[in-house]
Amino acid sequence: MDGTTLEGMRTALRGPVIGPKDPDYHQARKIYNAMIDREPAAIVRCTDAADVMDAVDFIRDHGLELAVRGGGHSGPGLCLVDDGLTIDLSPMRWVRVDPAAKTARVGGGSVLGDLDHASHAFGLATPAGIMSTTGVGGLTLGGGHGYLTRKYGLTVDNLLSADVVLADGSFVTASETENPDLFWALRGGGGNFGIVTSFDVRLHPVHTVGVAITVWPVDSTREVLRWYRDFLPQAPEDLYGFFALLAVPPGPPFPEEIHGHKMCGVVWCWTGDLDRLEETLAPVNEPGRPAFHFTAPMPYPALQTMFDELIPAGLQWYWRGSFFDRITDEAIDVHLKYGENLPTDLSTMHLYPVDGAAHKVGADDTAWAYRDAVWSGVIAGIDPDPANAQTIKQWAVDYWDELQPYSMGGSYVNFLGAGEGQDRVKATYRDHYDRLAEIKRIYDPHNLFHANQNIEPAKER
């Protein structure tokens, strides 16, 4: 993009347009995953919906490449494109809560911590992720799951409406009654259909939750996973627990004698009567005595921030995901093999439950295509040292390859890795893909929004 075009864009927009010669360019192009090192022609920081509309018009009319950044947590770095433009929504970080209606309107550049902070003041929350630094936009558009999913469903099950800037630069609202086809697609179809400048979400009564962390030696993985696969689906929906393979981090609440040890474990969240937490979790001794078991009441936003310092922005990441409707003995053998051989102290595997309330929504009610999944799994190679990038990637790919025969075929779209290909995108949407492609043809026929896990527009009939 030449200097004249850059200056033209600066004139057209209220927010800053940051080019390669600007002193803050290299900071502006950084995202959560430091393995991604792309150099856009400019980063366009939009201050409001009008800025987004003007930016889309400018980018489209000049034939430029476009990417969209909300929170910047995209594992494959889809919020940046070399020599193109990133529309950065980070100035649009705001949340307005209506405590009487139990709803919140959330700006498109907000992160989960913004939403959690604003809603917690009223004793409210919505299911969304496990880290406060994750962007609301990307997480929601992919479907969204988190600590409250078994109780209150996916994030998209709690989406009431969205304000969207389309590829032609127009502004629309999508809901059950306005542009319902677009609303259906936004609930799981990713960033394929437009740029969401605000979300209206339903909130639920959540304030202080029961938190527990239970870990066992990694060689207990077979016994623990066999117990976990039976215990959790039958547990009350107030109980959520994601299974993890990990190296114990050096700090509280873990005792020093297990720091750095490879373990398997479960992070629990209990939204029921706090006096019943210990009773509910008494079965954790059944697969064998834990090496460590910690319980405490905790404000919900504190739980959401628990991993923020452990895995901050700026690390090397490579991840891949899969859905599972069961955890087979053969899959457990794979988990044990790779859990015993974690390549770095931060590398991990998580199995997030997506049953309970998420199963009460119809299979065709949203673009999320795996209402029959019980777990959403992610394998993440993580390390601060760029020299280990290939090592963590190879571990994640090998692990995923061996586990895939025991999966349901597709993945949570936000857990697709870089370069997995169009077949994986189609597998993620199953028989919803053709309907999504038709909606894409209506709202983005020329595929302006393609720097994502792309759904290609259906061809004209």
Side-chain angles (χ1 to χ4, degrees):
M1 188 166 68
D2 61 33
T4 302
T5 307
L6 188 64
E7 287 307 313
M9 187 162 232
R10 285 176 172 146
T11 301
L13 304 178
R14 291 178 65 200
V17 178
I18 303 168
K21 295 181 180 178
D22 292 321
D24 50 350
Y25 172 77
H26 290 291
Q27 182 62 36
R29 71 183 182 89
K30 286 183 179 179
I31 59 173
Y32 188 75
N33 184 1
M35 193 181 285
I36 308 300
D37 184 21
R38 296 187 185 133
E39 296 190 354
I43 296 100
V44 183
R45 287 191 166 154
C46 295
T47 60
D48 54 23
D51 254 5
V52 176
M53 295 165 72
D54 288 341
V56 167
D57 282 341
F58 194 98
I59 291 166
R60 183 195 62 247
D61 292 347
H62 284 78
L64 303 169
E65 289 285 301
L66 167 63
V68 182
R69 172 177 175 161
H73 259 244
S74 169
L78 301 178
C79 43
L80 294 176
V81 59
D82 281 324
D83 301 321
L85 274 79
T86 286
I87 289 183
D88 183 351
L89 304 179
S90 59
M92 300 170 64
R93 285 182 64 175
W94 50 265
V95 180
R96 298 190 184 98
V97 174
D98 182 338
K102 294 186 174 63
T103 62
R105 175 160 288 191
V106 188
S110 302
V111 298
L112 299 187
D114 301 326
L115 174 56
D116 294 334
H117 170 78
S119 57
H120 182 70
F122 303 98
L124 300 168
T126 203
I130 65 162
M131 290 188 64
S132 75
T133 56
T134 304
V136 170
L139 178 130
T140 301
L141 295 173
H145 52 68
Y147 289 114
L148 304 178
T149 287
R150 297 192 75 237
K151 180 69 172 178
Y152 295 122
L154 303 174
T155 309
V156 290
D157 301 337
N158 296 278
L159 182 64
L160 301 172
S161 68
D163 288 340
V164 191
V165 176
L166 302 177
D168 64 3
S170 63
F171 177 90
V172 300
T173 296
S175 69
E176 291 282 7
T177 56
E178 296 181 81
N179 301 297
D181 55 344
L182 176 61
F183 186 59
W184 180 87
L186 293 176
R187 287 176 290 167
N192 277 284
F193 306 95
I195 300 175
V196 178
T197 58
S198 70
F199 300 83
D200 284 353
V201 298
R202 181 185 300 110
L203 303 175
H204 302 274
V206 178
H207 190 273
T208 301
V209 296
V211 174
I213 302 173
T214 313
V215 296
W216 298 261
V218 72
D219 59 12
S220 300
T221 296
R222 283 196 182 95
E223 294 76 15
V224 173
L225 262 178
R226 286 170 180 162
W227 167 78
Y228 171 81
R229 72 185 178 188
D230 296 331
F231 169 73
L232 189 63
Q234 302 304 315
E237 291 175 3
D238 279 310
L239 184 66
Y240 175 97
F242 75 81
F243 177 87
L245 294 166
L246 72 156
V248 175
F254 299 105
E256 188 174 352
E257 59 267 23
I258 65 170
H259 288 177
H261 289 218
K262 292 182 175 67
M263 297 275 179
C264 64
V266 183
V267 178
W268 308 96
C269 174
W270 169 252
T271 53
D273 183 345
L274 292 175
D275 291 338
R276 293 186 54 214
L277 175 61
E278 297 290 349
E279 168 196 342
T280 303
L281 290 180
V284 298
N285 292 294
E286 291 179 9
R289 184 177 178 182
F292 175 73
H293 179 64
F294 161 87
T295 62
M298 192 176 292
Y300 179 69
L303 171 61
Q304 286 280 76
T305 62
M306 196 159 59
F307 299 114
D308 289 359
E309 291 188 12
L310 178 64
I311 41 177
L315 302 176
Q316 306 285 307
W317 279 77
Y318 187 84
W319 66 28
R320 287 200 178 182
S322 297
F323 283 122
F324 301 90
D325 57 359
R326 59 181 60 87
I327 301 171
T328 66
D329 287 347
E330 294 83 359
I332 290 173
D333 289 342
V334 177
H335 290 305
L336 174 61
K337 173 182 174 180
Y338 285 90
E340 289 180 327
N341 293 281
L342 296 173
T344 62
D345 285 347
L346 292 175
S347 295
T348 188
M349 187 285 302
H350 292 175
L351 288 170
Y352 300 106
V354 287
D355 60 334
H359 280 189
K360 298 173 185 176
V361 176
D364 297 326
D365 289 354
T366 66
W368 175 279
Y370 280 84
R371 292 290 173 178
D372 50 344
V374 182
W375 287 279
S376 170
V378 64
I379 299 163
I382 312 169
D383 195 66
D385 188 351
N388 289 328
Q390 185 56 40
T391 298
I392 60 176
K393 178 178 179 179
Q394 195 61 55
W395 173 82
V397 170
D398 291 346
Y399 191 168
W400 184 87
D401 282 344
E402 288 197 39
L403 198 60
Q404 190 63 5
Y406 314 110
S407 79
M408 299 176 73
S411 167
Y412 176 36
V413 68
N414 291 344
F415 288 159
L416 287 179
E420 290 195 52
Q422 197 65 17
D423 287 345
R424 286 285 289 148
V425 176
K426 290 181 177 179
T428 287
Y429 290 113
R430 287 171 148 177
D431 55 0
H432 289 174
Y433 186 87
D434 289 345
R435 181 178 175 186
L436 287 164
E438 286 291 339
I439 296 170
K440 176 79 168 181
R441 180 179 61 80
I442 295 168
Y443 289 96
D444 184 17
H446 303 294
N447 207 8
L448 178 68
F449 303 114
H450 64 265
N452 46 42
Q453 302 295 358
N454 194 236
I455 296 166
E456 298 173 352
K459 291 181 171 58
E460 292 283 354
R461 293 178 180 176

